[in-house]
Structure formats: structure tokens, C-alpha cells
Amino acid sequence: MTSKTSKGRLSWWQLSLLGIGCTLGTGFFLGTSMAIHKSGPAVVIPFLLAAIATYIVYDALVKMSVDNPDKGSFRTYAKQAFGKWAGFSNGWIYLISEMLIMGSQLMALGIFTRLWFPTLPLWVAASIYAALGLAVILTGMKGFENFQNIFGALKAAAVVMFIIVAVLLIIKGFNTETTSLDAMHANYEEFFSQGVKGIWLGLLYAFYAFGGIEVMGLMVIDLKNPQEAPKAGKVMLIVITIIFIMAIMLALTLVSWKDFNIEESPFITALRDYHLPFFADVFNGILIIAGFSTMVASLYAVVTILITLAEDHDAPASLAKKGKMKVPFPAFLFLASGLIITIVIGFLMPERIFEYLMTAAGLMLIYNWLFILVTYAKLMELSKWGHVKNGFGMLLIVVTVSGTLGEKTSRLGFFVSLLFIIIIAIATWIVMKRQKHGKQV
């Protein structure tokens, strides 16, 4: 084992908590409404399939991390498997997709905040959250860890709170024969009303709910015992999948699936008619916490990848130049500039076009997951079962991506994602050619 592993100070359960903090975000609290809209009551099936694929990707990533701990994580392994072009393109695909996704998270945070401050301009709210996120990154790994543990616990507590409240309302419904029983019966009758196509289209939004798992892979190097990384991910994914499925099923027990609004959290929709005091405010606070903590996780991932790109000369070497700060100041400046640009793009660009960009960015993250599995198959010696499992994960990702062709909005997002891939491929070809020419000289 390399000396890098001796610096780790996280126990496996702390990594599990961090994983919950990085994963449980707006993709679940908001995106689940879109998944229900596509799949109907059968939405639990896409979520189960997405959970399986997420575990396969995480398991592959941590096995490579245990075998060769490196802070560059998946981009370093891609480089080892396929050469310098793979490390360059993999890193920039991930970095650009995360920067764009952060723009959408900042806009969502601004919208949530308007429930309490309706006159506050969205760009002001987004700028405030961006500044706070950058401040957390400046505290270094320890500050990031403490922050994510606290917010991860709060987010998990919010979902558990919803589960408890929903169960109590259902019990009350059985005693008083309220309309929630009618909703439960209707959803049961219409379970497969959207058919196989609905499950196919809903997969993409279920995958979004598990987005962030690759950040756990980046933190494996900080474990006291990297051999416990698979256990950390397994526990985290089992817990979060159970929470996801229970919360969704309970929401569908309280309200007909047709009543969910794609622009509102399904958990607020499910409890609105019950007029619970302060619930909307409490859950709105949780939505802000969820969005902010996943944004901070993205910031951490971007700065980590950016530094490794700079150290490998796949980005300007000056970006990795260290000073008195816990984060290299040039990299921090790049991050801040990127956030400003995404905020400006988000507020100047027509809403539809921005939506296509966000879909494309999410797809680019999933492409990154696919490349992790391809890299794993190349670098590691797999058993027959290992090949089957890896192949099944790839198949799920390909089926999910193909689901974007089933409707106009996501289809255009798919083509935008291909455009990004082509641009990065051209940039990769130019950089590789220049580096090769430089070596020959």
C-alpha cells in the first residue's frame, strides 16, 4: 500500500455518512416528481434498477481505489487503462458537467429561498449560496467532512420525518376512511399504467437521485483503512435505497400519482392537503440544505479533479500551485469564475435551452459512470461473475441513456451532450497532438 493511505483519517461509517450527504439532494427531493410523472406508481422499479447500477459503479471504483489509491480517482485509472487521452477527456467531461449542474443547483436554491423572501432577486440568492459554498471549500477536507456529516444527518432526518408523518396519516386514514385510501387504491390499480416505456423514461431521473456517488470514490484515499471502502458504500446505498423507496411508496399512498407537480417536491405535494403547521417551511429549509450540500460536494469534486488535471499538465500547471490556503488559490479562483459564468448563463439563457444544458450535463455524468466500468474491466482481473455484474451495469446505463430518445426535451439534451463530447474530443486530439509534437522536439 502506498504512503498516501497512511494519511487517511476517516472510518468506514464516516465515509458512509459523507456519501449520504453527497448523494441525498435535489435529485431526490425534486427530481422524484419527474420520475413519478414518467413512470407512474411503478416508479419504484426505476429506482431499484438505478440503485443496482449505482452500487456496481461504486464497487468498481473503490476496488480500483483500494488497489491503487490516488486522489485523481476515476480519471487517473482511465489514464492508466487507455492512455493520456482518456485521463484528459474523462477529467474535463466530469468537470464541465459538474460546473453546469452547479448552475442549476444555484438557480433551484434561489427559487426555494423565494418562499421566505419573495422580493429577493434570484441572482442575488444564487450568488450568496455560491459564496457560502466557496467558503466551505476554503476550510479544507476537515471542514467539508464536518459540514457534510451535519447536513447529511439533517437530510436523512427530514426523510425519516416524512416517513413517520405519512405512516401516522395512513393509520389515521384507515380509522377515518379518508380520501388517502382512495388514492392508494387508484395507484395500486394503475401501477403499470405507463407500461414498460414509462419505466424506461423514468430511469434517467432515478439515476439523478443517486448522482454524487463518484464523490465518495474521490474520498476513499482519506480512509484509515481503504479495504473498508466497499463496506462503506454498501451500507450507505442500502440505507439510502430503503429511505428512497419507503418515502416514494408512502407519498404514493397519500396522493394519486397524477396529482404530483414536476416543479414541486413530491413530499410537499403529498402532505399539502393535510394542512400540517410549519411543514412547508421546514421542508423548504430541508430542500435548501439538500441543494446546498450537494452543490458543495460538487465543488469539492471539481477542485479535486482540477488539481489532478493541472498536476498532470492536462490543465494549466499554475492551477495546482499551492500557497498558504488549504486549496490552491489559482484553482479556487477558477472555481469561483466558473460559478459566476454558470450563474450568468442560467439567468441570461432562455429557460428551455438551459433545461437542455442541464439534461446534457446529467447525461455526461452518466457517461462518466460508464467509462468507470469500462476502465474497471480493462485494469482489473474479473471473475466470470464480475464480468456479468459489470456488463449488467453497462447495460443499465446504456438503456437509461437511450431513454432520453423517448421524448423531445431529453432527446435534445442528449444531442447537446453529444455536442459537448465532440468538442472535448477535438480538444483532446489537439492537446495530445501538441504534447506528442513537444516530445518529438
Side-chain angles (χ1 to χ4, degrees):
M1 203 63 70
T2 67
S3 60
K4 291 177 183 177
T5 58
S6 63
K7 296 178 183 177
R9 54 186 187 76
L10 293 179
S11 58
W12 71 266
W13 62 267
Q14 287 175 311
L15 183 61
S16 289
L17 274 178
L18 281 167
I20 292 172
C22 295
T23 306
L24 187 53
T26 49
F28 173 66
F29 285 110
L30 268 182
T32 303
S33 288
M34 185 62 83
I36 293 170
H37 178 69
K38 302 296 178 189
S39 305
V43 68
V44 292
I45 297 173
F47 268 86
L48 283 170
L49 291 172
I52 292 167
T54 304
Y55 172 70
I56 292 170
V57 171
Y58 175 79
D59 190 55
L61 183 55
V62 295
K63 281 179 178 173
M64 289 189 288
S65 299
V66 169
D67 187 64
N68 177 25
D70 191 285
K71 64 182 178 181
S73 191
F74 48 84
R75 67 160 297 275
T76 299
Y77 306 136
K79 179 182 173 183
Q80 291 170 352
F82 300 103
K84 198 165 177 61
W85 69 267
F88 178 91
S89 57
N90 212 244
W92 280 104
I93 286 171
Y94 182 76
L95 193 143
I96 291 171
S97 65
E98 282 288 3
M99 291 299 290
L100 286 170
I101 288 169
M102 279 188 278
S104 69
Q105 288 171 336
L106 286 169
M107 289 184 73
L109 286 167
I111 292 167
F112 299 154
T113 306
R114 287 184 112 172
L115 178 72
W116 298 329
F117 305 101
T119 58
L120 185 69
L122 281 176
W123 72 269
V124 172
S127 301
I128 290 169
Y129 288 117
L132 289 172
L134 290 169
V136 173
I137 294 301
L138 282 177
T139 63
M141 179 60 195
K142 186 172 175 59
F144 170 77
E145 174 200 332
N146 292 336
F147 168 84
Q148 288 292 40
N149 281 340
I150 293 167
F151 275 19
L154 284 172
K155 289 186 288 186
V159 185
V160 171
M161 176 186 74
F162 170 80
I163 290 170
I164 292 169
V165 170
V167 168
L168 291 174
L169 289 173
I170 290 165
I171 293 170
K172 183 181 176 183
F174 277 117
N175 293 333
T176 59
E177 296 185 359
T178 63
T179 54
S180 67
L181 295 182
D182 296 331
M184 181 168 60
H185 180 72
N187 286 334
Y188 174 76
E189 291 277 317
E190 298 176 10
F191 190 81
F192 278 114
S193 60
Q194 301 307 101
V196 174
K197 184 180 179 182
I199 294 169
W200 181 46
L201 296 178
L203 269 170
L204 180 67
Y205 303 98
F207 264 80
Y208 285 170
F210 289 93
I213 195 72
E214 68 285 338
V215 184
M216 274 186 82
L218 290 169
M219 292 188 286
V220 167
I221 195 171
D222 292 298
L223 276 174
K224 290 175 185 173
N225 180 9
Q227 301 291 336
E228 292 184 325
K231 179 167 68 173
K234 193 179 294 183
V235 169
M236 175 264 176
L237 280 168
I238 288 171
V239 169
I240 211 164
T241 302
I242 291 171
I243 287 175
F244 281 1
I245 299 298
M246 282 184 68
I248 292 167
M249 290 183 73
L250 287 167
L252 287 166
T253 303
L254 293 170
V255 180
S256 168
W257 72 273
K258 295 174 183 175
D259 293 335
F260 289 103
N261 180 354
I262 60 173
E263 296 179 358
E264 181 178 64
S265 172
F267 311 109
I268 290 178
T269 304
L271 297 180
R272 177 184 287 110
D273 291 341
Y274 294 92
H275 306 294
L276 299 173
F278 307 116
F279 181 82
D281 286 314
V282 170
F283 221 82
N284 191 63
I286 294 300
L287 285 174
I288 290 172
I289 288 171
F292 185 66
S293 73
T294 48
M295 185 200 74
V296 170
S298 295
L299 285 170
Y300 171 83
V302 165
V303 80
T304 302
I305 292 295
L306 183 63
I307 291 168
T308 61
L309 281 167
E311 288 175 346
D312 280 356
H313 303 288
D314 288 336
S318 59
L319 290 172
K321 190 176 180 181
K322 295 179 181 177
K324 294 180 180 179
M325 297 166 60
K326 292 182 179 177
V327 177
F329 182 71
F332 178 80
L333 203 60
F334 178 94
L335 199 60
S337 302
L339 279 178
I340 292 169
I341 291 168
T342 55
I343 291 171
V344 172
I345 288 173
F347 290 105
L348 292 184
M349 193 171 280
E351 188 177 338
R352 272 289 174 195
I353 296 176
F354 191 66
E355 190 177 335
Y356 302 148
L357 275 178
M358 290 311 102
T359 303
L363 282 169
M364 285 164 69
L365 268 188
I366 298 175
Y367 300 157
N368 179 260
W369 285 20
L370 182 61
F371 211 90
I372 287 171
L373 294 181
V374 173
T375 302
Y376 178 60
K378 173 79 173 177
L379 281 184
M380 307 291 283
E381 290 185 15
L382 306 186
S383 63
K384 284 185 180 179
W385 165 243
H387 280 293
V388 169
K389 188 174 75 169
N390 209 52
F392 183 61
M394 290 183 192
L395 178 64
L396 282 174
I397 292 172
V398 170
V399 169
T400 299
V401 172
S402 70
T404 60
L405 301 175
E407 58 177 2
K408 185 180 178 182
T409 302
S410 58
R411 184 162 56 244
L412 285 168
F414 170 73
F415 291 127
V416 173
S417 74
L418 289 186
L419 178 62
F420 273 117
I421 296 296
I422 291 168
I423 291 169
I424 292 170
I426 292 169
T428 303
W429 180 76
I430 291 169
V431 170
M432 294 303 108
K433 192 175 180 181
R434 282 183 177 176
Q435 288 183 355
K436 187 178 179 181
H437 181 71
K439 285 179 184 177
Q440 288 173 347
V441 173

